[in-house]
Amino acid sequence: MQALEKISDQRLFGGRQMRFAHDSKVLNCRMQFSVFLPPQTAQQDVPSLYWLSGLTCTDENFSAKAGAQRVAAELGIALVIPDTSPRGDAVPDDPEGAYDFGLGAGFYVNATAAPFAKHYQMYDYISKELPALVEAELPLSTKRSISGHSMGGHGALVMALRESGRYCSVSAFAPISNPIHCPWGRKALAGYLGKDESTWQAYDASVLLAAQKTALPILVDQGDADQFLAEQLKPEALLAASTISGSDIELRIQPGYDHSYYFIASFIEDHLRFHSRYLLPQS
């Protein structure tokens, strides 16, 4: 098992906001991630909510801006917050330095195209390597849910739909719902997977949801003032897919909200309480 190097540890709402580094065998680089451990971990292992962040973010955006720890401490849910891509001097980046591909924009896929395949295995890192590591080294149970924002909302939905039984519930804020039909998605999928568009569908939540009926609890919040709504996010595709498969999904359109962390902070309590219904025993 890889050793965890503790980078920081702050007291917060009776729990601990921590940051770790470790050598990732999956990503072939050194990675950092953040964890909030609620006060209940002093007595027992607790379930986890994995949070996947969006383009340009690191593991620190959510922990600093979303204000999730107060409710997580009350409920007894840990927050596991990975980075958004592999990092390091040896990790290839967008050749033109664009924000929407490469470093900070791993898109939560397993890359197959050169030169990205050596490092950009974010799907396996999030779904396999990181949970095995934190559940062995920290007071966490094997009960997990997953959530995310924008690119991270895409990743959360795709992983929950593909990994049957691994997650108890899934939620998303302004997810990239149909990446095979939006500029961000097409650029990322072509760059990481190559030009064969048939391989892209395995990473499109709308395609996956249309093809299978799922009983997985799904909550999605989308602001109607989001500057990326029409061109990049396409929540209507996700809703149409749920109708095709007969799956239940709660899609809430929030009037006046944009794509920022102010939007996330406004509704993160709703999402944590939603996940608590499936992660925690109900009295």
Side-chain angles (χ1 to χ4, degrees):
M1 180 59 65
Q2 310 105 312
L4 285 180
E5 175 194 355
K6 185 164 64 175
I7 298 172
S8 62
D9 186 349
Q10 280 90 33
R11 192 77 168 163
L12 183 62
F13 294 111
R16 300 162 69 190
Q17 181 65 52
M18 310 176 77
R19 198 170 192 226
F20 296 96
H22 74 106
D23 292 323
S24 169
K25 294 180 180 179
V26 169
L27 302 179
N28 291 294
C29 65
R30 192 153 180 83
M31 292 295 288
Q32 295 182 348
F33 66 93
S34 295
V35 176
F36 174 70
L37 296 178
Q40 292 84 348
T41 55
Q43 289 80 41
Q44 63 190 28
D45 291 352
V46 301
S48 303
L49 177 66
Y50 285 73
W51 174 269
L52 307 186
S53 296
L55 291 168
T56 75
C57 291
T58 71
D59 57 294
E60 294 188 289
N61 292 75
F62 180 77
S63 61
K65 295 180 179 181
Q69 294 93 338
R70 176 184 61 81
V71 178
E74 173 198 328
L75 295 171
I77 296 174
L79 306 173
V80 180
I81 312 160
D83 203 345
T84 53
S85 78
R87 302 281 180 174
D89 292 341
V91 176
D93 195 5
D94 185 281
E96 297 179 357
Y99 75 94
D100 56 356
F101 188 79
L103 298 181
F107 233 78
Y108 305 106
V109 304
N110 284 338
T112 56
F116 302 100
K118 180 179 178 180
H119 296 285
Y120 284 80
Q121 302 294 310
M122 287 298 292
Y123 185 96
D124 280 353
Y125 176 70
I126 301 296
S127 65
K128 296 180 176 65
E129 186 181 34
L130 185 60
L133 175 62
V134 297
E135 288 166 13
E137 300 290 330
L138 299 173
L140 307 179
S141 75
T142 57
K143 293 194 73 174
R144 316 170 199 91
S145 290
I146 191 165
S147 185
H149 171 231
S150 193
M151 177 186 72
H154 140 78
L157 289 167
V158 166
M159 288 186 192
L161 291 168
R162 286 180 53 170
E163 301 291 326
S164 177
R166 179 171 284 273
Y167 302 103
C168 298
S169 52
V170 59
S171 71
F173 290 81
I176 302 172
S177 298
N178 194 195
I180 66 173
H181 289 136
C182 78
W184 280 342
R186 292 186 64 81
K187 178 178 180 178
L189 296 174
Y192 294 131
L193 304 178
K195 296 181 179 180
D196 180 0
E197 297 189 18
S198 67
T199 66
W200 302 1
Q201 298 188 19
Y203 295 104
D204 188 303
S206 293
V207 172
L208 294 170
L209 187 59
Q212 64 186 64
K213 183 173 183 177
T214 179
L216 186 73
I218 303 173
L219 171 64
V220 176
D221 271 321
Q222 173 64 62
D224 72 359
D226 192 316
Q227 61 271 41
F228 303 113
L229 176 56
E231 184 180 28
Q232 303 283 11
L233 305 179
K234 303 186 182 299
E236 67 279 0
L238 197 64
L239 193 59
S242 70
T243 301
I244 291 169
S245 65
S247 302
D248 290 330
I249 179 172
E250 184 177 5
L251 172 60
R252 309 191 305 185
I253 304 300
Q254 303 293 358
Y257 285 89
D258 62 13
H259 202 68
S260 70
Y261 263 84
Y262 297 115
F263 168 50
I264 297 169
S266 298
F267 298 101
I268 192 61
E269 180 170 354
D270 288 359
H271 284 239
L272 287 166
R273 296 194 184 281
F274 163 78
H275 290 295
S276 74
R277 300 203 297 267
Y278 309 100
L279 288 171
L280 301 170
Q282 301 299 309
S283 58

